[in-house]
């Protein structure tokens, strides 16, 4: 029998220090996984420092998902090399789990952002669809548009609709817009006047796209929007990057269509 000293700890002390239940420690003792090496004069189980080191390995392996029989096999190999192997394995498993948890946290953050903003698409996904200009232009446009039209029915309707759009739907909006712009470019570069029937047909399809995806856009409202393509340097640059002269051509086509509507 052993006299109680600071070198030994009782089952209760170990359970509190390690964060497991007394019942768990008794089970580990019963199956021979972690057996206290000493006993007090009163017959209480006492854990030595070596017992605690073994128990700590068991706790780590259990938290990593290993079964008790597997843990016993791992720990009973013996020798310093095996101990280092245990530690390296634990470290690598923990790193793998941490990487997985970081990915999970990132996914949760994206979901939180979407939920808090009321949108079904994250900012990263918006950048993926609309390109690098999203950061430098889109938020400015949005703030200015809200200040200018935030109290209008059109703005409220657009906000209501777009909050529910998925990434696939935004991609469809982008693809449709690109196709319309390409048709404008083909007409312009082949010398078709902006006030021609062909150009005005594209203008009407562009207006219908706004009505379909965002809000009811009248002919005159569409003409006002098209004027911004020329007046606002950022909008103008967006069209000029597609083809020189496109901003003015689109504006003229939309205005011509509105005047004949």
């Amino acid at each position: 029998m052993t006299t109680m000293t600071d070198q030994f700890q009782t089952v209760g002390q170990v359970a509190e220090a390690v964060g497991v239940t007394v019942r768990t420690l008794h089970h580990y003792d019963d199956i021979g996984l972690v057996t206290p090496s000493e006993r007090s004069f009163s017959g209480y189980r006492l854990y030595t420092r070596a017992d605690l080191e073994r128990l700590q390995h068991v706790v780590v392996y259990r938290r990593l998902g290993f079964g008790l029989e597997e843990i016993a096999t791992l720990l009973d190999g013996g020798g310093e090399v095996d101990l280092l192997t245990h530690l390296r394995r634990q470290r690598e498993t923990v790193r793998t789990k941490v990487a997985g948890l970081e990915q999970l946290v990132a996914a949760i953050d994206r979901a939180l952002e979407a939920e808090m903003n009321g949108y079904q698409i994250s900012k990263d996904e918006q950048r993926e669809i609309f390109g690098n200009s999203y950061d430098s232009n889109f938020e400015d446009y949005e703030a200015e548009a809200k200040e200018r039209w935030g109290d209008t029915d059109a703005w409220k309707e657009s906000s209501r609709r777009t909050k529910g759009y998925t990434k696939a739907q935004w991609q469809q909006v982008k693809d449709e817009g690109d196709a319309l712009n390409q048709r404008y470019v083909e007409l312009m570069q082949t010398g078709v006047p902006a006030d021609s029937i062909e150009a005005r047909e594209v203008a009407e399809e562009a207006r219908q796209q706004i009505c379909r995806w965002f809000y009811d856009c009248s002919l005159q409202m569409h003409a006002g929007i098209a004027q911004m393509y020329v007046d606002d340097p950022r909008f103008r640059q967006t069209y000029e990057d597609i083809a020189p002269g496109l901003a003015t051509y689109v504006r003229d086509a939309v205005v011509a269509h509105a005047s004949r509507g």
Side-chain angles (χ1 to χ4, degrees):
M1 298 295 177
T2 301
T3 302
M4 179 77 71
T5 70
D6 291 339
Q7 293 181 332
F8 308 110
Q9 296 189 43
T10 65
V11 173
Q13 291 172 325
V14 170
E16 182 177 357
V18 178
V20 298
T21 65
V22 171
R23 182 177 179 180
T24 296
L25 292 177
H26 286 163
H27 179 61
Y28 290 170
D29 186 8
D30 291 340
I31 65 176
L33 183 59
V34 182
T35 300
S37 300
E38 300 292 340
R39 296 268 180 168
S40 69
F41 284 115
S42 302
Y44 291 110
R45 300 176 178 85
L46 298 177
Y47 289 82
T48 65
R49 180 174 299 176
D51 297 334
L52 289 176
E53 289 178 354
R54 182 180 175 91
L55 176 60
Q56 287 168 352
H57 284 300
V58 171
V59 171
V60 171
Y61 276 127
R62 285 296 290 156
R63 289 176 179 172
L64 293 176
F66 289 87
L68 295 180
E69 292 184 4
E70 186 177 7
I71 294 173
T73 300
L74 292 171
L75 294 180
D76 292 337
E80 182 179 357
V81 174
D82 289 324
L83 176 57
L84 291 175
T85 300
H86 299 327
L87 294 173
R88 291 189 180 111
R89 181 184 294 112
Q90 291 170 0
R91 184 177 186 276
E92 184 60 31
T93 305
V94 169
R95 284 177 61 87
T96 301
K97 286 183 176 290
V98 167
L101 289 173
E102 287 176 346
Q103 293 177 358
L104 179 59
V105 169
I108 292 173
D109 285 344
R110 289 193 296 270
L112 281 171
E113 179 185 11
E115 183 63 25
M116 291 172 68
N117 292 334
Y119 287 90
Q120 299 299 315
I121 180 174
S122 69
K123 292 187 182 297
D124 286 340
E125 290 173 323
Q126 289 170 331
R127 294 184 190 100
E128 179 184 339
I129 294 172
F130 296 105
N132 294 330
S133 62
Y134 174 86
D135 280 333
S136 58
N137 293 329
F138 185 83
E139 292 184 353
D140 289 341
Y141 293 157
E142 186 177 40
E144 292 174 15
K146 186 174 183 179
E147 181 178 354
R148 185 171 180 180
W149 296 300
D151 293 331
T152 65
D153 292 338
W155 174 268
K156 294 174 183 177
E157 177 66 11
S158 178
S159 297
R160 184 189 67 79
R161 292 192 198 180
T162 57
K163 282 183 178 181
Y165 288 169
T166 63
K167 180 181 178 181
Q169 288 174 306
W170 278 114
Q171 186 65 60
Q172 186 176 349
V173 172
K174 173 67 163 50
D175 291 343
E176 289 179 2
D178 288 346
L180 289 168
N181 287 335
Q182 186 56 40
R183 289 173 61 190
Y184 277 128
V185 170
E186 292 172 357
L187 292 172
M188 180 182 68
Q189 291 181 344
T190 55
V192 179
D195 60 353
S196 66
I197 294 177
E198 294 89 344
R200 286 187 280 120
E201 286 178 350
V202 180
E204 175 60 18
E205 290 186 37
R207 187 179 73 87
Q208 290 298 329
Q209 189 206 26
I210 295 174
C211 294
R212 187 165 60 254
W213 288 105
F214 301 104
Y215 52 85
D216 291 336
C217 182
S218 68
L219 289 169
Q220 294 307 314
M221 182 182 292
H222 194 207
I225 294 171
Q227 186 61 45
M228 288 195 305
Y229 299 164
V230 175
D231 294 343
D232 190 308
R234 295 163 300 180
F235 279 110
R236 173 186 283 274
Q237 190 60 51
T238 297
Y239 282 96
E240 295 302 298
D241 286 343
I242 298 173
L246 184 61
T248 300
Y249 187 88
V250 171
R251 188 275 311 274
D252 290 348
V254 173
V255 171
H257 179 56
S259 67
R260 290 167 171 78

